[in-house]
Amino acid sequence: MSDLLGVAVLGAGHMGADHIRRLDQVVSGARVAAVADPDTARAKEAVGGIDGVTVHAEAEAALDAGGVDAVLVASPGPAHEEALLAAFARGLPVLCEKPMVPDAAGALRVVEAEARLGRRLAQIGFMRRYDTEYRRLKALLDTGRLGRPLMLHCTHRNVASPPDFTSAMLVNSSVSHEIDAARWLLGEELTAVRVLRPRSSGGAPAGLVDPQFALFETERGALVDVEVFVNCGFGYQVRCEAVCEAGSARIGEDHGLRVARAGEDRTEVPQDYLVRFADAYDREVQAWVDATRQGRVTGPTAWDGYAVSAVAEAGVGSLETGERVGVELGPRPALYRA
Amino acid sequence: MSDLLGVAVLGAGHMGADHIRRLDQVVSGARVAAVADPDTARAKEAVGGIDGVTVHAEAEAALDAGGVDAVLVASPGPAHEEALLAAFARGLPVLCEKPMVPDAAGALRVVEAEARLGRRLAQIGFMRRYDTEYRRLKALLDTGRLGRPLMLHCTHRNVASPPDFTSAMLVNSSVSHEIDAARWLLGEELTAVRVLRPRSSGGAPAGLVDPQFALFETERGALVDVEVFVNCGFGYQVRCEAVCEAGSARIGEDHGLRVARAGEDRTEVPQDYLVRFADAYDREVQAWVDATRQGRVTGPTAWDGYAVSAVAEAGVGSLETGERVGVELGPRPALYRA
Amino acid sequence: MSDLLGVAVLGAGHMGADHIRRLDQVVSGARVAAVADPDTARAKEAVGGIDGVTVHAEAEAALDAGGVDAVLVASPGPAHEEALLAAFARGLPVLCEKPMVPDAAGALRVVEAEARLGRRLAQIGFMRRYDTEYRRLKALLDTGRLGRPLMLHCTHRNVASPPDFTSAMLVNSSVSHEIDAARWLLGEELTAVRVLRPRSSGGAPAGLVDPQFALFETERGALVDVEVFVNCGFGYQVRCEAVCEAGSARIGEDHGLRVARAGEDRTEVPQDYLVRFADAYDREVQAWVDATRQGRVTGPTAWDGYAVSAVAEAGVGSLETGERVGVELGPRPALYRA
Amino acid sequence: MSDLLGVAVLGAGHMGADHIRRLDQVVSGARVAAVADPDTARAKEAVGGIDGVTVHAEAEAALDAGGVDAVLVASPGPAHEEALLAAFARGLPVLCEKPMVPDAAGALRVVEAEARLGRRLAQIGFMRRYDTEYRRLKALLDTGRLGRPLMLHCTHRNVASPPDFTSAMLVNSSVSHEIDAARWLLGEELTAVRVLRPRSSGGAPAGLVDPQFALFETERGALVDVEVFVNCGFGYQVRCEAVCEAGSARIGEDHGLRVARAGEDRTEVPQDYLVRFADAYDREVQAWVDATRQGRVTGPTAWDGYAVSAVAEAGVGSLETGERVGVELGPRPALYRA
């Protein structure tokens, strides 16, 4: 493990630039080797003064650049399928931001391609699995001390949605985090979904169905509900309560600093997911770098990426009708069985 | 207001005995004048050493006993309709425990009977409206500072269900509290209901569908969800979060005493509703006594009792099918318009 | 117990008026029989429309009025000694607001007078002993599950001090509550006191030493510290943490309603002791009425009143010098031994 | 910044081994170049399979080893003075664990030596300044929104003390963290100290004065109290409340995971400082590596190390007598003025 892992970063937008900074300044054992973005000026700005990084307009050029040992995909979702297949073709380990592939059919093609390789190369960026609170909750559930989980109550709130955020994106961009987290915490697939529409907030842009309330059923009969509210106005708040046979555990409510002032006792609510999950992103990338340098691939799989896309797609369908929509997954390749 | 209000208590079971104690020892301005229970031995035991109380096997005999100015109905639900009509016939003010009348048709007959009288005599025992936390939440919502409410997330958990508790009773006995609370907090009627079935807990009696997850729609489009779990094993826990356009408010999570010990920092969860809502019951009965002595009737109305029965009845229907069931209320008499 | 207890209330100021209201409207088993205040107009206003109450300028006249069975002393502290002795002379049970007698010498005279009677007539108004949280803390300590208490950390904060509040009053009016609470929770006397002066707040009136930090030693070596800050600006906050050999328990931090709004998650801090301790006052007076009607005297004793006055007096001495001042109590009459 | 910083780690005990792991696996921009420990077998075990690290019995040999750019001192406190002076003689930047030098006289010699150099080389390991909660508290105080701080209430609890822990070490090892934190949070020196002795816990080793209660005065009149309890039995708990003119802020009470089970609602208390402050250690070392690679020295200074030693020394004196002991610092060299 003496050499640093040379990473090609695809995409130099908000997320890509943050990963470039992380690889350069936070994570040990890696270096940024190449960056690709159609907007090469943006890519150069994200690289800043880091030595020895080549900048490219095309993703494949970055993969083929000198010193590239692995790939971090932070380009827009529609570009992911091609990037993943290109990495697979070169045998390069790849950390791919979520959504792995926005549509379930494309996601399944990625799964099948990796299954044909017969070995894992892809880790998908469901970073909540690396958050300290989620990990403690998962560890507690896995002990069985609370009995079987029966329900998950989830909340996912943003201060305000970005421009051009659509009603479908509450499901396939925001709730997709809870879809993966629920699968991971419960250790089973989601089999059906309903998306209900409470009245929309006057604080949401006209026409946006916000908040929404999604309900998921699982293979073994657990029920998962998710409030998603992307214009809640007061903070970025992610909570999860697991209701089990012998107790209930919840995360996401406590904060470190309490202030009593002017008749109230307050805790600050973080305003942004990069604040709330900063440590989770750091741990995720560090874990990926560490495993990759040891020739291993760990973390969320392409199958996870596919399953989340399939459930989210069913959820968007339910958002139209309010009816229950079943989820049918393709056969699970042996590569992804525990 | 110099004379004490003489109260006839109908029913001397768990709840009736508690109300007899309350009228005798806690509440000011009232005295127990008569008690009726088919089991007169039980009635005598509940009366204990209180002076000047007559004991009867028949409810009507108690209503006609000397010194009776008002009635508190704590007999089983199926006896309520007859008791209420008997009180109406005598012009006696009556505080009736919930459910007012278990079936919607019977509840509507009570509404119509009181409407024919042209004045209110009945107050229904939805005691959460007298709980300090609920009142603070209601007061906050009424200020409008948080904008319109969009969703209520409710939890209703009991340590263990009594013997003979049925799956339908989770809806029409337990959730009926949330049905009234939601109507009261939001100031609007519930128009449809779905009751979903997560897998049942191994801690619940065989055959009991427990927990359940109920969803209510309101006239103006708010969504109310209720987890009801009557064999949760760890405590009596009633929580409510109101998610509004400009903020969220929640009650039911804090307790007074925190203990750090053996690696954990704990707060006690009350084990029983008579503990959690002790003050609410006291305030409810005190408010009823005070108003009655002034010749007024306040608090939840027979219409509230009817609306809750109608929604609960629809909920029991949905429990069978899992489908959305609409709620159709009869016309609202002028007596019950604000 | 069929007759109502007729109570003479001495003093019709803020506290006296509140007790008149409480006896009339909240507490069961009692009635206001007479009220005395040098300002008879104020007394009449406090009585309002309550039937059958006589109003007097002189305390003794009220004690001798018809229908008086017991006395509630809510006059200013300097009048208490005379009032207590007058009640003793008539054999009347008396609930006396704190301070029992402001100076230790006068308090000792009251103790000696009651000891000569050979039976208890006085209950002193340390109402925190009736607060639900304090009682839970006391009950927990008494189980011994946390081992012996080693330290108490106390906080006593007011939004703003009343006009004419002096530096000594932080000790002998405010901290006197913690003095009694510490004695009661620990079950032992306080033997020495230091009062330290942090820099004073710019929010306090000029010349007032505020906040102060008091330290008490107990017979068996526990240490009690109290922050008293009567111009803290943000709320009325009373907290207590008991640090024991096997764990720590604390009260006073939780509240029922939490609101997330505008980047913060808040709980309301009560602004006034009549809000924070409303239930404690109600329970205190109810307990007094109930015991008195049964011919018993319970609750804090005249000895408690004396011990608190003696410790507070030592504390005021220490406030001058910052040095440790020992507390010497007179001999404890047999009447007050457990 | 393209080359990795080569670090010589002095001391391969519990703390030294943890820093070796951190430099190798967590921190970016650094590598372990040399390790020194009199027990070279222990040093080799701590190095494990890391490539290119030389192991030495003598500290100076490690400083002179190839590829050493900077020094991390994690040897026992008595060895620190010599190690710091050796690093200064070689012009090597040095991160020195606390205590900088256990006795104030030795600490002052280090200050004077660095002052003679005329530039900073030393950063002292007061890692709480890198803890997220402490930083948020400091940032809040620095805004002035809460007015001037008047008091700090601190708690420092360990599950159990290590073997051979002495009564003096509660002050000069445990409380020294609070001494530095108070100076840093308040921005002023501590001028006097009292250490009081509550009765000792039956859970503490015989003869150990535990808990202790320390009181510090500051230059501008703030009061700092610290409960230190190193055999509290239930967890590692570090809390701090800053009481200011217009509000109060506190840290250290909240945790991420809450579990309701068996009648209680619990949060886990961490058991160890390496758990509670894991992120703080990581940030501290990363900040040191980053600054060093840029040719800068930031973080706590040798003056801070000296001031803490001087206050702790006075505290140990007060522990003997219980009396107030003043703290006299030597003149502050210009190098350490803001």
Side-chain angles (χ1 to χ4, degrees), chain C residues 1-305:
Chain C
M1 283 201 298
S2 58
D3 291 329
L4 298 181
L5 184 77
V7 179
V9 178
L10 308 187
H14 190 51
M15 201 75 219
D18 196 52
H19 278 310
I20 290 168
R21 175 197 62 77
R22 181 172 289 110
L23 287 165
D24 184 49
Q25 297 175 22
V26 179
V27 163
S28 76
R31 54 179 289 273
V32 182
V35 173
D37 197 290
D39 180 346
T40 52
R42 181 166 79 164
K44 281 177 187 155
E45 187 182 329
V47 170
I50 310 175
D51 285 342
V53 186
T54 57
V55 169
H56 312 267
E58 300 292 332
E60 302 218 8
L63 301 194
D64 295 330
V68 168
D69 304 310
V71 188
L72 195 163
V73 179
S75 50
H80 287 191
E81 182 178 352
E82 189 178 329
L84 284 161
L85 297 178
F88 290 174
R90 286 158 180 81
L92 289 172
V94 56
L95 173 59
C96 180
E97 269 301 323
K98 54 136 311 240
M100 181 178 79
V101 175
D103 65 300
L108 186 56
R109 286 192 295 269
V110 169
V111 160
E112 291 166 348
E114 195 184 37
R116 278 194 300 273
L117 283 178
R119 63 188 176 106
R120 285 191 58 190
L121 282 177
Q123 173 178 331
I124 312 306
F126 294 117
M127 87 294 179
R128 288 197 191 167
R129 300 194 188 192
Y130 296 92
D131 175 63
T132 303
E133 294 189 19
Y134 270 97
R135 291 175 85 88
R136 290 173 67 191
L137 178 57
K138 168 72 169 163
L140 176 63
L141 295 180
D142 286 354
T143 64
R145 287 201 342 240
L146 297 187
R148 293 178 306 161
L150 307 174
M151 286 177 283
L152 297 182
H153 302 312
C154 309
T155 317
H156 185 145
R157 295 170 180 159
N158 296 79
V159 178
S161 56
D164 303 322
F165 212 72
T166 66
S167 298
M169 292 168 78
L170 273 78
V171 178
N172 61 25
S173 175
S174 300
V175 176
S176 61
H177 280 292
E178 272 75 22
I179 294 174
D180 181 65
R183 296 175 61 254
W184 175 68
L185 289 171
L186 299 174
E188 51 182 325
E189 296 293 352
L190 308 186
T191 54
V193 54
R194 277 182 187 84
V195 179
L196 304 180
R197 304 168 168 229
R199 62 182 159 208
S200 289
S201 172
L208 191 70
V209 180
D210 182 35
Q212 298 176 17
F213 193 75
L215 288 154
F216 301 95
E217 302 168 19
T218 76
E219 289 174 292
R220 295 197 291 269
L223 187 68
V224 178
D225 59 86
V226 183
E227 175 205 316
V228 55
F229 189 4
V230 299
N231 289 282
C232 83
F234 64 84
Y236 179 74
Q237 199 173 47
V238 170
R239 304 183 303 189
C240 182
E241 177 171 21
V243 184
C244 304
E245 290 177 303
S248 159
R250 57 198 194 280
I251 59 173
E253 298 195 7
D254 289 323
H255 314 281
L257 177 67
R258 301 176 78 96
V259 181
R261 184 159 167 270
E264 294 178 327
D265 193 1
R266 315 161 194 219
T267 59
E268 195 183 320
V269 179
Q271 296 299 296
D272 190 271
Y273 67 96
L274 290 179
V275 174
R276 168 65 180 84
F277 286 114
D279 286 348
Y281 281 111
D282 291 354
R283 281 201 195 86
E284 174 195 54
V285 177
Q286 185 70 62
W288 176 66
V289 167
D290 291 349
T292 303
R293 293 175 77 200
Q294 296 169 1
R296 299 185 298 119
V297 181
T298 59
T301 68
W303 176 262
D304 294 318

Side-chain angles (χ1 to χ4, degrees), chain D residues 126 176-177 179-180 183 303-313 329:
Chain D
F126 294 117
S176 61
H177 280 292
I179 294 174
D180 181 65
R183 297 173 61 253
W303 177 262
D304 294 318
Y306 160 64
V308 170
S309 292
V311 174
E313 204 166 87
L329 296 180

Side-chain angles (χ1 to χ4, degrees), chain D residues 98-128:
Chain D
K98 54 134 317 239
M100 181 177 79
V101 176
D103 64 300
L108 186 56
R109 286 192 295 270
V110 169
V111 160
E112 290 166 349
E114 195 184 37
R116 278 195 299 274
L117 284 178
R119 65 188 176 103
R120 287 190 56 191
L121 283 177
Q123 173 178 331
I124 312 306
F126 294 117
M127 86 293 177
R128 289 198 190 165

Side-chain angles (χ1 to χ4, degrees), chain B residues 5-264:
Chain B
L5 185 76
V7 179
V9 178
L10 308 186
H14 190 51
M15 201 75 220
D18 196 54
H19 279 309
I20 289 168
R21 177 197 60 76
R22 182 171 287 111
L23 287 165
D24 184 50
Q25 297 174 22
V26 180
V27 162
S28 77
R31 54 179 288 273
V32 182
V35 173
D37 197 289
D39 180 346
T40 53
R42 180 166 81 165
K44 279 176 187 154
E45 188 184 327
V47 169
I50 310 176
D51 285 343
V53 186
T54 56
V55 169
H56 311 266
E58 299 292 332
E60 302 219 6
L63 300 195
D64 294 330
V68 169
D69 305 311
V71 188
L72 195 163
V73 179
S75 50
H80 287 191
E81 180 178 353
E82 189 177 330
L84 284 160
L85 297 178
F88 291 174
R90 287 157 177 82
L92 289 171
V94 57
L95 173 58
C96 180
E97 269 302 322
K98 52 132 322 234
M100 182 176 80
V101 176
D103 64 299
L108 186 57
R109 287 191 294 270
V110 169
V111 160
E112 290 166 348
E114 196 184 38
R116 278 194 300 273
L117 285 177
R119 62 188 176 103
R120 286 190 57 190
L121 283 176
Q123 172 179 332
I124 311 308
F126 295 116
M127 87 294 177
R128 289 198 190 165
R129 299 193 187 193
Y130 295 91
D131 174 64
T132 303
E133 294 189 20
Y134 271 97
R135 291 176 85 89
R136 290 173 67 191
L137 177 58
K138 169 72 169 163
L140 176 64
L141 295 180
D142 286 354
T143 64
R145 285 198 345 237
L146 297 188
R148 293 179 306 161
L150 307 174
M151 285 176 283
L152 297 182
H153 302 313
C154 309
T155 317
H156 185 146
R157 295 170 181 160
N158 296 79
V159 179
S161 57
D164 303 323
F165 212 73
T166 66
S167 297
M169 291 168 79
L170 273 78
V171 177
N172 62 25
S173 176
S174 300
V175 176
S176 62
H177 281 291
E178 272 75 22
I179 294 173
D180 181 66
R183 296 175 61 254
W184 176 65
L185 289 170
L186 299 174
E188 52 183 322
E189 297 293 352
L190 307 185
T191 54
V193 54
R194 274 182 190 85
V195 179
L196 304 180
R197 305 168 167 229
R199 61 182 159 207
S200 289
S201 172
L208 191 70
V209 180
D210 181 34
Q212 298 177 16
F213 194 75
L215 289 154
F216 300 95
E217 303 169 19
T218 76
E219 287 175 294
R220 296 196 291 269
L223 187 68
V224 178
D225 59 86
V226 183
E227 175 205 316
V228 55
F229 188 4
V230 299
N231 290 280
C232 84
F234 63 84
Y236 179 72
Q237 198 172 48
V238 169
R239 304 183 302 189
C240 182
E241 175 170 24
V243 184
C244 304
E245 291 176 304
S248 159
R250 57 196 193 280
I251 59 174
E253 298 196 6
D254 290 324
H255 315 282
L257 177 67
R258 302 176 77 96
V259 180
R261 185 160 167 269
E264 294 178 326

Side-chain angles (χ1 to χ4, degrees), chain A residues 114-145:
Chain A
E114 195 184 37
R116 276 194 300 273
L117 284 178
R119 63 186 177 107
R120 286 190 57 191
L121 283 176
Q123 173 178 330
I124 312 306
F126 294 117
M127 88 293 178
R128 288 196 191 168
R129 299 193 187 192
Y130 295 91
D131 175 63
T132 303
E133 294 190 19
Y134 270 96
R135 290 176 86 88
R136 290 173 67 191
L137 178 57
K138 169 71 169 163
L140 176 65
L141 295 180
D142 285 354
T143 65
R145 287 200 342 241

